Amino acid sequence: MTQSTGNVQSSSAASKIYRNPTVRQTIRADLKRHWTIYLMALPVIAYYLIFHYGPMYGLQIAFKEFTPAKGIWGSPWSGFKHFESFFNGIYFWRLIKNTVLINLFELMFGFPAAIVLALLLNEIRNSIFKRFVQTISYLPHFISIVVVAGMMIDFLSRTGLINQIIGAFGIEPIDFLKESGWFRFLFVSSGIWQGVGWGSIIYLAAIATIDPSLYEAARMDGANRWKQTLHITLPGIMPTIVILFILQMGNMLTVGSEKVLLLYNPLTYETADVISTYVYRKGVLEASYSFTAAVGLFNSIISFILIVSANSFVKRISENKLW
């Protein structure tokens, strides 16, 4: 009897010793063990809490008749009035069409351009020439949008460099920035010129992580450069391509307003007016804060749905995914 009691007590003591730690104990132990890392991350966490998550309480003005005098809490509720006003507005489909088309063109031409440049740079064996090409392709990224827009206005005016060149071939001058049909091409092509070099850095970094023994084995099997690129390099950077593609899908309803505002005019509104510029006109110029908050919230919800859908689609057809 005494021996049985002793066994029970020892078993109980052992269960206490080997009991799984609670979540709180795990977090506390992790904080104690990695406190330096958490300390370094603290400014970043504080930044996002203060400047990204904190202002989200202001989203409620999308459902209110906000006036600065009454403040956010004092303004009366208006329900979905501003959403209905946006959906039934005469510019709704034009804004959606222009925003989606510009992003689609960037996805079709700008997204693969960085991949192609990275693959081409990877094939250059002359290190001096490779650095020269890299430097030239990176430089436009550091030019401000204002300067880029100014260059485009100068080059593309009726008396600009482009019209002088095509005039030498007997072609009539073209008002590139006053004809709506040219806007999307100019916007997307200038974006590719400015960002293709910088965008290729990520893919070059991904290529650098590929095991060199794979290339040696492929060469021994008689694979030429094209087959090595097709069967080793591209599969090696495919996870990076997929992640960046999913992130790009999340921006399908987002076009930076700065360059559009600098380049467009009432003559090109038909193809140049996008959601962000419409929000700028309504929110800043007409002080319709609740309406623009409703448009911004709609934009964010659609972007969230798109990024989740893209991730789910990619997860079904491949092993690569964002989460």
Side-chain angles (χ1 to χ4, degrees), residues 256-267:
S257 61
E258 297 87 356
K259 195 163 79 173
V260 180
L261 287 171
L262 291 168
L263 292 176
Y264 81 160
N265 55 68
L267 295 174

Side-chain angles (χ1 to χ4, degrees), residues 144-157:
S144 74
I145 292 177
V146 177
V147 175
V148 172
M151 292 168 61
M152 292 177 66
I153 291 171
D154 286 340
F155 291 162
L156 299 171
S157 66

